[in-house]
Amino acid sequence: MDTIFALATAQGRAGVAVIRISGPQAHACGTVLCSSLPPSRQFALRNLVDLDGAVLDQALVLSFDGPNSFTGEDVVEFHLHGSVAVVSAVLRVLGQGVGRVAEPGEFTRRALENDRMDLSQVEGLGDLIEAETEAQRQQALRMVQGAFGQKIEVWRSKLIRAAALIEVTIDFADEDVPVDVTPEVLSLLGSIKTDVSDELVGFIAAERIRTGFEVAIIGPPNAGKSTLLNAFAKREAAITSERAGTTRDVIEVRMDLNGLPVTLLDTAGLRDSTDDIETQGVARAIARGKSADLRIFLVEPTDVLSISPCKDDVVIAPKADTRTDDVRAVSGLTGQGVPELIAEISEVLKIKTQGAGLASHARHRDAMQNSLAKLEEAICFVNAGSDHYDIAAEEIRVAIRSLEVLVGRVGVENLLDEIFASFCLGK
């Protein structure tokens, strides 16, 4: 296994920069730069020197002994002054030793290979790094802390138990098996089926928290959609004009809306037009409006559009600053009604996140859907009687393999251990 090193903090000038080394020669690489390493898990101040003994910087040095480190290997970290010149000099000296520059994500990959993290935790770490809002941070942190892995482990244990019960009935058919295993097997499979189904129900909400909700502003031309978008974004994100049809394409603004990730869409005004470009813009507005998670209809009470509001959509009149009636309205120009509108949208989206599961990636969904299908088939074969147990056992094994990426491999030893721990057959 190679010893690798890399800058662990962002490129560029900073107050502090961290360089990390990992691998079998990490401690040896560390001592090239400083006279001695501190005891494991303790900081010490050291002068870092090049191969000629010239001082490069004064840094805090931290070492870890494997497997008790992030990667599961020996690790050394240098906490340097964040000068571009200092970082370059230290990396240059490390490059002259036995180590090599790490590939993208290689430290985390080694943590996965050395069983310091499971794959869901690795994905959670990536999501945590990319998190822009509080909701994303909380969801990603649950993954990093192993909440999804713990749930998968429960499913894994139940699948092993169910498979073991059926296998013992098949393998020891001529023996006096203490009890009829059918009720327990059905209970185990039914429990997993319910849990997996519940997790799939919460997938869409969890995925939206990770990737963001889309909120489209829909309305006729000159309703003030672009002005409202700018009021939300608190900047001139869209061109505004009294001329109808100014917005031709969908304008997107990414924002944090009370802790939720939201992409706000300013769409072309919906109307019939002979202008080919505007017609294309209207078609795109309709398509994005229909696919959005929530729509804000900025319309007069008498307006009729080609898109109708759905249950959770917000319908509000435009240009509140010029109105004299009692119709609920908003003005992006003056900000009148904007805080209330933001609060309403946030509440609607918050309701949509209720029941969000832990699974938030497409591979999670696909694996669970495949496993669920096999579990349903296994239940049918178990219900069909002991003559079909061999088929049921195979369906359970396929269900386990479908979740293999999530739960890990289940070998023969696991089944044998479960069998002999549960039944004292005396053979």
Side-chain angles (χ1 to χ4, degrees):
M1 179 70 71
D2 292 341
T3 297
I4 58 175
F5 63 88
L7 177 66
T9 47
Q11 294 280 355
R13 186 172 59 186
V16 176
V18 178
I19 291 177
R20 177 180 292 160
I21 312 169
S22 181
Q25 299 298 316
H27 290 168
C29 289
T31 55
V32 170
L33 281 153
C34 60
S35 56
S36 63
L37 296 176
S40 181
R41 296 178 175 270
Q42 294 184 26
F43 272 110
L45 187 65
R46 295 284 191 270
N47 284 330
L48 304 186
V49 299
D50 63 15
L51 299 181
D52 297 324
V55 176
L56 301 175
D57 190 26
Q58 194 174 58
L60 286 174
V61 181
L62 178 63
S63 68
F64 298 88
D65 294 333
N68 299 314
S69 69
F70 173 71
T71 61
E73 305 169 335
D74 289 345
V75 170
V76 176
E77 290 183 357
F78 297 116
H79 294 236
L80 317 161
H81 294 100
S83 159
V84 174
V86 168
V87 171
S88 297
V90 173
L91 291 175
R92 184 170 60 251
V93 173
L94 287 173
Q96 295 171 351
V98 297
R100 64 168 175 82
V101 177
E103 298 176 357
E106 191 169 2
F107 288 101
T108 304
R109 181 168 182 172
R110 291 193 177 193
L112 175 65
E113 292 172 346
N114 293 325
D115 295 325
R116 298 299 294 173
M117 305 178 74
D118 63 35
L119 191 53
S120 66
Q121 288 177 298
V122 170
E123 289 171 320
L125 181 58
D127 293 342
L128 185 61
I129 293 172
E130 296 293 328
E132 299 175 326
T133 70
E134 180 63 14
Q136 289 175 322
R137 181 193 68 81
Q138 291 178 2
Q139 178 174 270
L141 192 58
R142 291 172 67 195
M143 294 288 283
V144 172
Q145 292 174 335
F148 192 45
Q150 292 168 10
K151 179 176 287 191
I152 296 301
E153 182 59 28
V154 172
W155 296 348
R156 176 181 181 274
S157 298
K158 290 183 177 181
L159 285 172
I160 292 175
R161 173 70 178 172
L165 290 169
I166 290 184
E167 292 288 352
V168 75
T169 302
I170 297 171
D171 294 341
F172 300 94
D174 297 332
E175 304 289 338
D176 292 329
V177 179
V179 294
D180 179 12
V181 301
T182 304
E184 186 175 353
V185 170
L186 289 174
S187 176
L188 289 167
L189 296 181
S191 173
I192 301 170
K193 176 184 173 183
T194 299
D195 289 347
V196 173
S197 298
D198 290 344
E199 190 65 35
L200 284 169
V201 169
F203 171 78
I204 294 178
E207 185 185 41
R208 286 294 184 271
I209 292 174
R210 184 175 67 85
T211 61
F213 291 91
E214 282 196 350
V215 177
I217 305 176
I218 305 294
N222 244 5
K225 298 183 298 298
S226 297
T227 304
L228 183 60
L229 176 80
N230 292 340
F232 271 86
K234 297 182 180 179
R235 61 185 176 89
E236 295 296 319
I239 298 174
T240 59
S241 170
E242 294 182 359
R243 177 183 174 185
T246 300
T247 301
R248 298 298 183 92
D249 205 349
V250 177
I251 298 174
E252 302 183 8
V253 174
R254 184 81 170 183
M255 60 188 301
D256 180 342
L257 201 63
N258 290 337
L260 292 173
V262 172
T263 299
L264 203 61
L265 309 177
D266 176 24
T267 62
L270 301 185
R271 67 172 180 179
D272 294 330
S273 175
T274 57
D275 187 313
D276 291 339
I277 297 178
E278 185 177 0
T279 299
Q280 292 182 38
V282 170
R284 292 186 181 185
I286 294 173
R288 292 299 295 274
K290 288 181 177 179
S291 65
D293 299 291
L294 180 67
R295 285 153 291 276
I296 303 171
F297 282 83
L298 201 59
V299 294
E300 295 290 347
T302 56
D303 287 337
V304 178
L305 302 179
S306 52
I307 302 179
S308 299
C310 297
K311 176 184 176 182
D312 295 328
D313 290 342
V314 179
V315 180
I316 193 168
K319 303 178 180 178
D321 53 315
T322 63
R323 306 186 74 90
T324 58
D325 53 25
D326 295 329
V327 175
R328 182 188 173 215
V330 66
S331 172
L333 185 63
T334 66
Q336 182 179 342
V338 171
E340 293 80 5
L341 180 57
I342 291 176
E344 182 178 357
I345 295 169
S346 299
E347 185 60 28
V348 172
L349 295 181
K350 183 178 179 180
I351 293 173
K352 288 180 178 288
T353 63
Q354 292 178 355
L358 292 167
S360 60
H361 290 256
R363 76 172 191 91
H364 301 162
R365 178 200 60 212
D366 295 342
M368 290 188 296
Q369 286 177 338
N370 292 337
S371 182
L372 184 62
K374 292 302 176 181
L375 286 173
E376 291 173 345
E377 292 181 14
I379 290 172
C380 289
F381 285 115
V382 172
N383 281 320
S386 58
D387 291 342
H388 297 83
Y389 273 11
D390 53 342
I391 303 176
E394 179 59 25
E395 295 298 337
I396 294 175
R397 285 192 287 268
V398 175
I400 292 172
R401 287 196 293 270
S402 296
L403 290 175
E404 193 173 47
V405 174
L406 302 176
V407 302
R409 296 182 181 276
V410 179
V412 175
E413 293 77 11
N414 298 94
L415 291 176
L416 293 177
D417 289 344
E418 182 67 20
I419 288 171
F420 289 111
S422 302
F423 298 92
C424 298
L425 298 176
K427 289 206 176 210

